[in-house]
Amino acid sequence: MSETRPPFPPFDRATAWAKVQAAEDAWNSRDPHKVALGYSPDSVWRNRDVFLEGRAAIVEFLTAKWERELDYVLRKSLWAWHDNRIAVRFQYEWHDHEGQWVRSYGNELWEFDEHGLNRRREASINDVRITESGRRYFGPRSEYERGVDHDFTLL
């Protein structure tokens, strides 16, 4: 396999944070093809109640997601790491076509292959309706916020 995505496991705190920030940056691009490149060709996902396998399925899923979830913006935070696994918590905000804003809360479990590609992603996510004035996130992290834990106050 010629594809690699450093840093590689086993992870330490700095390399785990680098993976989390790289994932956040990719997802905030809202480019399904870019996001899919961080996953192994045979990556397996559980996202809520949807089960996927492979990059083509990831691209299809994310394309549909970002057609529904408009102005999506995400924050991820490192929760724990060990060897080739990372746990993250996250929040993202988006609105639907009618203008209703939502904050989605969740946890993800990631497992990486030796090439630094995510081969397994399991995501549990809950949604809470919010007002536009209740938004917290208005774009990707500023430079001074990168690599620092984010305040994930629940409401």
Side-chain angles (χ1 to χ4, degrees):
M1 173 186 245
S2 62
E3 290 181 272
T4 62
R5 188 71 77 194
F8 308 109
F11 300 114
D12 60 22
R13 182 174 185 77
T15 57
W17 258 114
K19 281 293 192 195
V20 171
Q21 189 63 63
E24 179 182 301
D25 292 345
W27 282 70
N28 276 329
S29 76
R30 297 189 298 253
D31 179 340
H33 297 280
K34 179 179 182 176
V35 172
L37 291 176
Y39 296 86
S40 65
D42 60 348
S43 185
V44 176
W45 278 27
R46 179 185 61 79
N47 193 91
R48 301 178 193 250
D49 61 346
V50 176
F51 296 82
L52 308 170
E53 186 170 345
R55 283 186 180 155
I58 291 168
V59 168
E60 181 180 348
F61 173 84
L62 292 175
T63 299
K65 172 184 179 65
W66 289 322
E67 287 173 359
R68 289 185 318 273
E69 297 180 1
L70 307 175
D71 294 321
Y72 172 100
V73 63
L74 167 73
R75 294 294 186 273
K76 289 186 182 284
S77 183
L78 176 65
W79 190 258
W81 73 94
H82 177 72
D83 193 30
N84 69 332
R85 294 181 176 158
I86 296 175
V88 298
R89 56 192 182 133
F90 61 86
Q91 291 182 12
Y92 61 90
E93 293 175 349
W94 56 278
H95 68 86
D96 62 21
H97 287 277
E98 287 74 48
Q100 174 61 60
W101 281 92
V102 176
R103 183 175 302 122
S104 300
Y105 297 88
N107 301 295
E108 292 176 310
L109 303 175
W110 299 341
E111 181 180 82
F112 293 85
D113 67 17
E114 65 276 11
H115 304 286
L117 296 169
N118 190 327
R119 68 177 168 208
R120 184 174 194 89
R121 174 185 175 265
E122 299 202 20
S124 297
I125 307 167
N126 301 95
D127 300 319
V128 175
R129 291 173 147 222
I130 60 173
T131 62
E132 185 171 3
S133 64
R135 292 178 59 205
R136 295 182 183 149
Y137 313 120
F138 299 92
R141 286 183 196 245
S142 65
E143 199 57 40
Y144 75 90
E145 289 181 293
R146 296 175 68 79
V148 266
D149 202 5
H150 194 75
D151 177 16
F152 282 140
T153 308
L154 294 181
L155 291 175

mmCIF file of all heavy atoms in Angstrom, residues 50-87:
data_model
loop_
_atom_site.group_PDB
_atom_site.id
_atom_site.type_symbol
_atom_site.label_atom_id
_atom_site.label_comp_id
_atom_site.label_asym_id
_atom_site.label_seq_id
_atom_site.Cartn_x
_atom_site.Cartn_y
_atom_site.Cartn_z
ATOM 1 N N VAL A 50 -26.413 4.069 10.874
ATOM 2 C CA VAL A 50 -25.995 3.765 9.502
ATOM 3 C C VAL A 50 -24.660 3.032 9.554
ATOM 4 O O VAL A 50 -23.738 3.446 10.255
ATOM 5 C CB VAL A 50 -25.860 5.066 8.678
ATOM 6 C CG1 VAL A 50 -25.339 4.767 7.287
ATOM 7 C CG2 VAL A 50 -27.194 5.799 8.621
ATOM 8 N N PHE A 51 -24.559 1.953 8.792
ATOM 9 C CA PHE A 51 -23.340 1.162 8.718
ATOM 10 C C PHE A 51 -22.795 1.244 7.300
ATOM 11 O O PHE A 51 -23.543 1.040 6.335
ATOM 12 C CB PHE A 51 -23.634 -0.296 9.100
ATOM 13 C CG PHE A 51 -24.077 -0.433 10.526
ATOM 14 C CD1 PHE A 51 -25.392 -0.204 10.883
ATOM 15 C CD2 PHE A 51 -23.166 -0.768 11.516
ATOM 16 C CE1 PHE A 51 -25.810 -0.312 12.206
ATOM 17 C CE2 PHE A 51 -23.561 -0.874 12.841
ATOM 18 C CZ PHE A 51 -24.889 -0.649 13.186
ATOM 19 N N LEU A 52 -21.505 1.570 7.178
ATOM 20 C CA LEU A 52 -20.875 1.779 5.879
ATOM 21 C C LEU A 52 -19.592 0.967 5.786
ATOM 22 O O LEU A 52 -18.951 0.704 6.810
ATOM 23 C CB LEU A 52 -20.490 3.244 5.688
ATOM 24 C CG LEU A 52 -21.526 4.319 5.906
ATOM 25 C CD1 LEU A 52 -20.865 5.676 5.900
ATOM 26 C CD2 LEU A 52 -22.584 4.237 4.839
ATOM 27 N N GLU A 53 -19.189 0.684 4.554
ATOM 28 C CA GLU A 53 -17.886 0.074 4.335
ATOM 29 C C GLU A 53 -17.304 0.608 3.042
ATOM 30 O O GLU A 53 -17.957 0.587 1.998
ATOM 31 C CB GLU A 53 -17.995 -1.447 4.265
ATOM 32 C CG GLU A 53 -16.642 -2.109 4.182
ATOM 33 C CD GLU A 53 -16.699 -3.614 4.351
ATOM 34 O OE1 GLU A 53 -17.729 -4.136 4.801
ATOM 35 O OE2 GLU A 53 -15.689 -4.261 4.021
ATOM 36 N N GLY A 54 -16.079 1.116 3.129
ATOM 37 C CA GLY A 54 -15.342 1.563 1.960
ATOM 38 C C GLY A 54 -15.478 3.041 1.665
ATOM 39 O O GLY A 54 -16.432 3.703 2.078
ATOM 40 N N ARG A 55 -14.489 3.559 0.959
ATOM 41 C CA ARG A 55 -14.437 4.989 0.664
ATOM 42 C C ARG A 55 -15.600 5.469 -0.199
ATOM 43 O O ARG A 55 -16.111 6.569 0.009
ATOM 44 C CB ARG A 55 -13.124 5.335 -0.020
ATOM 45 C CG ARG A 55 -11.962 5.388 0.932
ATOM 46 C CD ARG A 55 -10.743 5.874 0.204
ATOM 47 N NE ARG A 55 -9.601 5.942 1.103
ATOM 48 C CZ ARG A 55 -8.366 5.862 0.692
ATOM 49 N NH1 ARG A 55 -8.082 5.733 -0.602
ATOM 50 N NH2 ARG A 55 -7.371 5.933 1.560
ATOM 51 N N ALA A 56 -16.015 4.688 -1.174
ATOM 52 C CA ALA A 56 -17.136 5.122 -2.030
ATOM 53 C C ALA A 56 -18.388 5.343 -1.189
ATOM 54 O O ALA A 56 -19.111 6.326 -1.378
ATOM 55 C CB ALA A 56 -17.392 4.116 -3.139
ATOM 56 N N ALA A 57 -18.635 4.458 -0.233
ATOM 57 C CA ALA A 57 -19.798 4.608 0.652
ATOM 58 C C ALA A 57 -19.638 5.828 1.554
ATOM 59 O O ALA A 57 -20.620 6.533 1.842
ATOM 60 C CB ALA A 57 -19.995 3.341 1.483
ATOM 61 N N ILE A 58 -18.411 6.097 1.992
ATOM 62 C CA ILE A 58 -18.154 7.270 2.826
ATOM 63 C C ILE A 58 -18.454 8.543 2.036
ATOM 64 O O ILE A 58 -19.132 9.452 2.530
ATOM 65 C CB ILE A 58 -16.703 7.266 3.347
ATOM 66 C CG1 ILE A 58 -16.506 6.129 4.360
ATOM 67 C CG2 ILE A 58 -16.325 8.620 3.958
ATOM 68 C CD1 ILE A 58 -15.057 5.851 4.732
ATOM 69 N N VAL A 59 -17.967 8.613 0.796
ATOM 70 C CA VAL A 59 -18.208 9.790 -0.048
ATOM 71 C C VAL A 59 -19.705 9.977 -0.280
ATOM 72 O O VAL A 59 -20.238 11.087 -0.155
ATOM 73 C CB VAL A 59 -17.445 9.686 -1.381
ATOM 74 C CG1 VAL A 59 -17.907 10.742 -2.370
ATOM 75 C CG2 VAL A 59 -15.944 9.799 -1.136
ATOM 76 N N GLU A 60 -20.404 8.908 -0.577
ATOM 77 C CA GLU A 60 -21.852 8.991 -0.808
ATOM 78 C C GLU A 60 -22.578 9.475 0.454
ATOM 79 O O GLU A 60 -23.439 10.352 0.388
ATOM 80 C CB GLU A 60 -22.384 7.625 -1.238
ATOM 81 C CG GLU A 60 -23.848 7.601 -1.530
ATOM 82 C CD GLU A 60 -24.341 6.213 -1.962
ATOM 83 O OE1 GLU A 60 -23.516 5.325 -2.256
ATOM 84 O OE2 GLU A 60 -25.569 6.031 -1.977
ATOM 85 N N PHE A 61 -22.217 8.914 1.586
ATOM 86 C CA PHE A 61 -22.835 9.294 2.857
ATOM 87 C C PHE A 61 -22.591 10.774 3.166
ATOM 88 O O PHE A 61 -23.520 11.516 3.510
ATOM 89 C CB PHE A 61 -22.281 8.414 3.981
ATOM 90 C CG PHE A 61 -22.727 8.832 5.346
ATOM 91 C CD1 PHE A 61 -23.948 8.410 5.846
ATOM 92 C CD2 PHE A 61 -21.935 9.657 6.127
ATOM 93 C CE1 PHE A 61 -24.372 8.811 7.104
ATOM 94 C CE2 PHE A 61 -22.352 10.057 7.386
ATOM 95 C CZ PHE A 61 -23.569 9.632 7.877
ATOM 96 N N LEU A 62 -21.339 11.218 3.052
ATOM 97 C CA LEU A 62 -21.005 12.598 3.390
ATOM 98 C C LEU A 62 -21.604 13.592 2.405
ATOM 99 O O LEU A 62 -22.005 14.695 2.797
ATOM 100 C CB LEU A 62 -19.490 12.775 3.483
ATOM 101 C CG LEU A 62 -18.827 12.049 4.652
ATOM 102 C CD1 LEU A 62 -17.308 12.196 4.579
ATOM 103 C CD2 LEU A 62 -19.354 12.547 5.991
ATOM 104 N N THR A 63 -21.684 13.222 1.146
ATOM 105 C CA THR A 63 -22.316 14.095 0.155
ATOM 106 C C THR A 63 -23.765 14.357 0.542
ATOM 107 O O THR A 63 -24.216 15.515 0.566
ATOM 108 C CB THR A 63 -22.229 13.468 -1.244
ATOM 109 O OG1 THR A 63 -20.842 13.320 -1.592
ATOM 110 C CG2 THR A 63 -22.930 14.319 -2.286
ATOM 111 N N ALA A 64 -24.499 13.296 0.887
ATOM 112 C CA ALA A 64 -25.899 13.449 1.296
ATOM 113 C C ALA A 64 -26.001 14.220 2.611
ATOM 114 O O ALA A 64 -26.890 15.066 2.780
ATOM 115 C CB ALA A 64 -26.561 12.081 1.418
ATOM 116 N N LYS A 65 -25.088 13.946 3.545
ATOM 117 C CA LYS A 65 -25.094 14.630 4.848
ATOM 118 C C LYS A 65 -24.994 16.135 4.659
ATOM 119 O O LYS A 65 -25.778 16.901 5.234
ATOM 120 C CB LYS A 65 -23.914 14.117 5.688
ATOM 121 C CG LYS A 65 -23.666 14.867 6.983
ATOM 122 C CD LYS A 65 -22.403 14.322 7.653
ATOM 123 C CE LYS A 65 -22.064 15.035 8.934
ATOM 124 N NZ LYS A 65 -23.054 14.852 10.008
ATOM 125 N N TRP A 66 -24.025 16.584 3.858
ATOM 126 C CA TRP A 66 -23.800 18.014 3.723
ATOM 127 C C TRP A 66 -24.768 18.679 2.758
ATOM 128 O O TRP A 66 -24.804 19.898 2.674
ATOM 129 C CB TRP A 66 -22.333 18.287 3.398
ATOM 130 C CG TRP A 66 -21.481 17.989 4.619
ATOM 131 C CD1 TRP A 66 -21.812 18.251 5.913
ATOM 132 C CD2 TRP A 66 -20.212 17.364 4.648
ATOM 133 N NE1 TRP A 66 -20.815 17.825 6.753
ATOM 134 C CE2 TRP A 66 -19.805 17.269 6.003
ATOM 135 C CE3 TRP A 66 -19.358 16.853 3.676
ATOM 136 C CZ2 TRP A 66 -18.599 16.719 6.401
ATOM 137 C CZ3 TRP A 66 -18.153 16.306 4.070
ATOM 138 C CH2 TRP A 66 -17.778 16.232 5.419
ATOM 139 N N GLU A 67 -25.591 17.896 2.082
ATOM 140 C CA GLU A 67 -26.718 18.473 1.338
ATOM 141 C C GLU A 67 -27.870 18.793 2.293
ATOM 142 O O GLU A 67 -28.660 19.691 2.043
ATOM 143 C CB GLU A 67 -27.182 17.535 0.231
ATOM 144 C CG GLU A 67 -26.212 17.485 -0.934
ATOM 145 C CD GLU A 67 -26.568 16.424 -1.977
ATOM 146 O OE1 GLU A 67 -27.575 15.691 -1.802
ATOM 147 O OE2 GLU A 67 -25.817 16.326 -2.962
ATOM 148 N N ARG A 68 -27.961 18.040 3.410
ATOM 149 C CA ARG A 68 -28.995 18.267 4.429
ATOM 150 C C ARG A 68 -28.530 19.220 5.523
ATOM 151 O O ARG A 68 -29.299 20.012 6.023
ATOM 152 C CB ARG A 68 -29.341 16.939 5.140
ATOM 153 C CG ARG A 68 -30.086 15.931 4.383
ATOM 154 C CD ARG A 68 -30.453 14.734 5.261
ATOM 155 N NE ARG A 68 -29.404 14.275 6.169
ATOM 156 C CZ ARG A 68 -28.445 13.403 5.858
ATOM 157 N NH1 ARG A 68 -28.375 12.875 4.661
ATOM 158 N NH2 ARG A 68 -27.547 13.040 6.760
ATOM 159 N N GLU A 69 -27.274 19.058 5.945
ATOM 160 C CA GLU A 69 -26.720 19.794 7.085
ATOM 161 C C GLU A 69 -25.921 20.984 6.553
ATOM 162 O O GLU A 69 -24.732 20.888 6.292
ATOM 163 C CB GLU A 69 -25.854 18.874 7.940
ATOM 164 C CG GLU A 69 -26.651 17.737 8.556
ATOM 165 C CD GLU A 69 -25.813 16.802 9.412
ATOM 166 O OE1 GLU A 69 -24.591 17.025 9.574
ATOM 167 O OE2 GLU A 69 -26.385 15.819 9.925
ATOM 168 N N LEU A 70 -26.600 22.111 6.429
ATOM 169 C CA LEU A 70 -26.018 23.297 5.798
ATOM 170 C C LEU A 70 -25.181 24.104 6.789
ATOM 171 O O LEU A 70 -25.474 24.133 7.982
ATOM 172 C CB LEU A 70 -27.143 24.154 5.225
ATOM 173 C CG LEU A 70 -28.111 23.415 4.293
ATOM 174 C CD1 LEU A 70 -29.253 24.327 3.891
ATOM 175 C CD2 LEU A 70 -27.375 22.872 3.072
ATOM 176 N N ASP A 71 -24.150 24.757 6.269
ATOM 177 C CA ASP A 71 -23.241 25.594 7.067
ATOM 178 C C ASP A 71 -22.656 24.828 8.253
ATOM 179 O O ASP A 71 -22.420 25.378 9.335
ATOM 180 C CB ASP A 71 -23.931 26.884 7.537
ATOM 181 C CG ASP A 71 -24.272 27.780 6.376
ATOM 182 O OD1 ASP A 71 -23.453 27.867 5.425
ATOM 183 O OD2 ASP A 71 -25.360 28.393 6.387
ATOM 184 N N TYR A 72 -22.401 23.555 8.039
ATOM 185 C CA TYR A 72 -21.815 22.646 9.027
ATOM 186 C C TYR A 72 -20.472 23.182 9.525
ATOM 187 O O TYR A 72 -19.624 23.587 8.734
ATOM 188 C CB TYR A 72 -21.632 21.300 8.330
ATOM 189 C CG TYR A 72 -20.883 20.238 9.072
ATOM 190 C CD1 TYR A 72 -21.573 19.228 9.729
ATOM 191 C CD2 TYR A 72 -19.494 20.201 9.070
ATOM 192 C CE1 TYR A 72 -20.882 18.220 10.383
ATOM 193 C CE2 TYR A 72 -18.806 19.194 9.727
ATOM 194 C CZ TYR A 72 -19.509 18.204 10.380
ATOM 195 O OH TYR A 72 -18.830 17.206 11.025
ATOM 196 N N VAL A 73 -20.290 23.194 10.836
ATOM 197 C CA VAL A 73 -18.999 23.536 11.426
ATOM 198 C C VAL A 73 -18.795 22.666 12.668
ATOM 199 O O VAL A 73 -19.697 22.485 13.474
ATOM 200 C CB VAL A 73 -18.875 25.044 11.735
ATOM 201 C CG1 VAL A 73 -19.890 25.494 12.750
ATOM 202 C CG2 VAL A 73 -17.469 25.408 12.138
ATOM 203 N N LEU A 74 -17.584 22.117 12.798
ATOM 204 C CA LEU A 74 -17.281 21.050 13.757
ATOM 205 C C LEU A 74 -16.141 21.426 14.679
ATOM 206 O O LEU A 74 -15.192 22.100 14.269
ATOM 207 C CB LEU A 74 -16.880 19.805 12.949
ATOM 208 C CG LEU A 74 -16.218 18.636 13.664
ATOM 209 C CD1 LEU A 74 -17.232 17.886 14.526
ATOM 210 C CD2 LEU A 74 -15.598 17.695 12.639
ATOM 211 N N ARG A 75 -16.221 20.930 15.922
ATOM 212 C CA ARG A 75 -15.106 20.952 16.865
ATOM 213 C C ARG A 75 -14.946 19.542 17.422
ATOM 214 O O ARG A 75 -15.919 18.931 17.874
ATOM 215 C CB ARG A 75 -15.356 21.914 18.026
ATOM 216 C CG ARG A 75 -15.412 23.371 17.647
ATOM 217 C CD ARG A 75 -14.052 23.870 17.144
ATOM 218 N NE ARG A 75 -14.050 25.288 16.912
ATOM 219 C CZ ARG A 75 -14.428 25.871 15.759
ATOM 220 N NH1 ARG A 75 -14.840 25.129 14.748
ATOM 221 N NH2 ARG A 75 -14.373 27.177 15.627
ATOM 222 N N LYS A 76 -13.711 19.048 17.404
ATOM 223 C CA LYS A 76 -13.387 17.751 17.987
ATOM 224 C C LYS A 76 -12.423 17.953 19.143
ATOM 225 O O LYS A 76 -11.650 18.909 19.143
ATOM 226 C CB LYS A 76 -12.717 16.834 16.952
ATOM 227 C CG LYS A 76 -13.657 16.341 15.875
ATOM 228 C CD LYS A 76 -12.943 15.322 14.986
ATOM 229 C CE LYS A 76 -13.822 14.835 13.868
ATOM 230 N NZ LYS A 76 -14.821 13.873 14.294
ATOM 231 N N SER A 77 -12.454 17.038 20.082
ATOM 232 C CA SER A 77 -11.568 17.103 21.236
ATOM 233 C C SER A 77 -11.062 15.694 21.549
ATOM 234 O O SER A 77 -11.846 14.740 21.557
ATOM 235 C CB SER A 77 -12.324 17.672 22.429
ATOM 236 O OG SER A 77 -11.479 17.800 23.541
ATOM 237 N N LEU A 78 -9.776 15.602 21.818
ATOM 238 C CA LEU A 78 -9.179 14.313 22.187
ATOM 239 C C LEU A 78 -9.708 13.889 23.544
ATOM 240 O O LEU A 78 -9.672 14.645 24.512
ATOM 241 C CB LEU A 78 -7.654 14.457 22.240
ATOM 242 C CG LEU A 78 -6.875 13.233 22.691
ATOM 243 C CD1 LEU A 78 -7.036 12.080 21.703
ATOM 244 C CD2 LEU A 78 -5.394 13.598 22.841
ATOM 245 N N TRP A 79 -10.214 12.670 23.608
ATOM 246 C CA TRP A 79 -10.734 12.132 24.862
ATOM 247 C C TRP A 79 -9.721 11.166 25.476
ATOM 248 O O TRP A 79 -9.407 11.265 26.645
ATOM 249 C CB TRP A 79 -12.064 11.436 24.585
ATOM 250 C CG TRP A 79 -12.824 11.036 25.803
ATOM 251 C CD1 TRP A 79 -12.916 9.794 26.337
ATOM 252 C CD2 TRP A 79 -13.597 11.890 26.655
ATOM 253 N NE1 TRP A 79 -13.703 9.808 27.454
ATOM 254 C CE2 TRP A 79 -14.138 11.088 27.670
ATOM 255 C CE3 TRP A 79 -13.889 13.240 26.642
ATOM 256 C CZ2 TRP A 79 -14.946 11.604 28.668
ATOM 257 C CZ3 TRP A 79 -14.703 13.753 27.637
ATOM 258 C CH2 TRP A 79 -15.213 12.936 28.639
ATOM 259 N N ALA A 80 -9.224 10.238 24.637
ATOM 260 C CA ALA A 80 -8.255 9.245 25.112
ATOM 261 C C ALA A 80 -7.559 8.623 23.914
ATOM 262 O O ALA A 80 -8.045 8.718 22.783
ATOM 263 C CB ALA A 80 -8.962 8.158 25.931
ATOM 264 N N TRP A 81 -6.432 7.972 24.166
ATOM 265 C CA TRP A 81 -5.717 7.272 23.103
ATOM 266 C C TRP A 81 -4.947 6.116 23.717
ATOM 267 O O TRP A 81 -4.594 6.127 24.893
ATOM 268 C CB TRP A 81 -4.770 8.225 22.367
ATOM 269 C CG TRP A 81 -3.558 8.582 23.163
ATOM 270 C CD1 TRP A 81 -2.327 7.979 23.127
ATOM 271 C CD2 TRP A 81 -3.462 9.585 24.178
ATOM 272 N NE1 TRP A 81 -1.486 8.554 24.033
ATOM 273 C CE2 TRP A 81 -2.160 9.548 24.698
ATOM 274 C CE3 TRP A 81 -4.356 10.520 24.696
ATOM 275 C CZ2 TRP A 81 -1.726 10.392 25.712
ATOM 276 C CZ3 TRP A 81 -3.924 11.360 25.701
ATOM 277 C CH2 TRP A 81 -2.635 11.296 26.191
ATOM 278 N N HIS A 82 -4.678 5.115 22.902
ATOM 279 C CA HIS A 82 -3.847 3.980 23.288
ATOM 280 C C HIS A 82 -3.446 3.243 22.022
ATOM 281 O O HIS A 82 -4.313 2.876 21.208
ATOM 282 C CB HIS A 82 -4.606 3.029 24.220
ATOM 283 C CG HIS A 82 -3.807 1.818 24.585
ATOM 284 N ND1 HIS A 82 -2.730 1.893 25.444
ATOM 285 C CD2 HIS A 82 -3.902 0.546 24.188
ATOM 286 C CE1 HIS A 82 -2.199 0.675 25.558
ATOM 287 N NE2 HIS A 82 -2.898 -0.154 24.810
ATOM 288 N N ASP A 83 -2.153 3.059 21.845
ATOM 289 C CA ASP A 83 -1.613 2.298 20.726
ATOM 290 C C ASP A 83 -2.135 2.850 19.396
ATOM 291 O O ASP A 83 -1.749 3.925 18.982
ATOM 292 C CB ASP A 83 -1.920 0.809 20.907
ATOM 293 C CG ASP A 83 -1.133 -0.060 19.952
ATOM 294 O OD1 ASP A 83 -0.015 0.334 19.570
ATOM 295 O OD2 ASP A 83 -1.644 -1.134 19.566
ATOM 296 N N ASN A 84 -3.059 2.130 18.736
ATOM 297 C CA ASN A 84 -3.577 2.564 17.431
ATOM 298 C C ASN A 84 -5.032 3.048 17.507
ATOM 299 O O ASN A 84 -5.708 3.126 16.494
ATOM 300 C CB ASN A 84 -3.468 1.431 16.407
ATOM 301 C CG ASN A 84 -4.411 0.282 16.701
ATOM 302 O OD1 ASN A 84 -4.777 0.032 17.852
ATOM 303 N ND2 ASN A 84 -4.808 -0.425 15.663
ATOM 304 N N ARG A 85 -5.476 3.386 18.703
ATOM 305 C CA ARG A 85 -6.869 3.811 18.888
ATOM 306 C C ARG A 85 -6.933 5.196 19.521
ATOM 307 O O ARG A 85 -6.121 5.546 20.364
ATOM 308 C CB ARG A 85 -7.617 2.814 19.759
ATOM 309 C CG ARG A 85 -7.747 1.478 19.062
ATOM 310 C CD ARG A 85 -8.500 0.495 19.884
ATOM 311 N NE ARG A 85 -8.664 -0.729 19.096
ATOM 312 C CZ ARG A 85 -8.897 -1.891 19.621
ATOM 313 N NH1 ARG A 85 -9.015 -2.024 20.928
ATOM 314 N NH2 ARG A 85 -9.029 -2.943 18.837
ATOM 315 N N ILE A 86 -7.958 5.936 19.093
ATOM 316 C CA ILE A 86 -8.214 7.273 19.625
ATOM 317 C C ILE A 86 -9.713 7.394 19.874
ATOM 318 O O ILE A 86 -10.520 6.967 19.044
ATOM 319 C CB ILE A 86 -7.749 8.366 18.636
ATOM 320 C CG1 ILE A 86 -6.230 8.302 18.433
ATOM 321 C CG2 ILE A 86 -8.172 9.751 19.121
ATOM 322 C CD1 ILE A 86 -5.707 9.261 17.372
ATOM 323 N N ALA A 87 -10.058 8.004 21.001
ATOM 324 C CA ALA A 87 -11.455 8.334 21.297
ATOM 325 C C ALA A 87 -11.574 9.853 21.297
ATOM 326 O O ALA A 87 -10.730 10.548 21.860
ATOM 327 C CB ALA A 87 -11.865 7.772 22.658
#
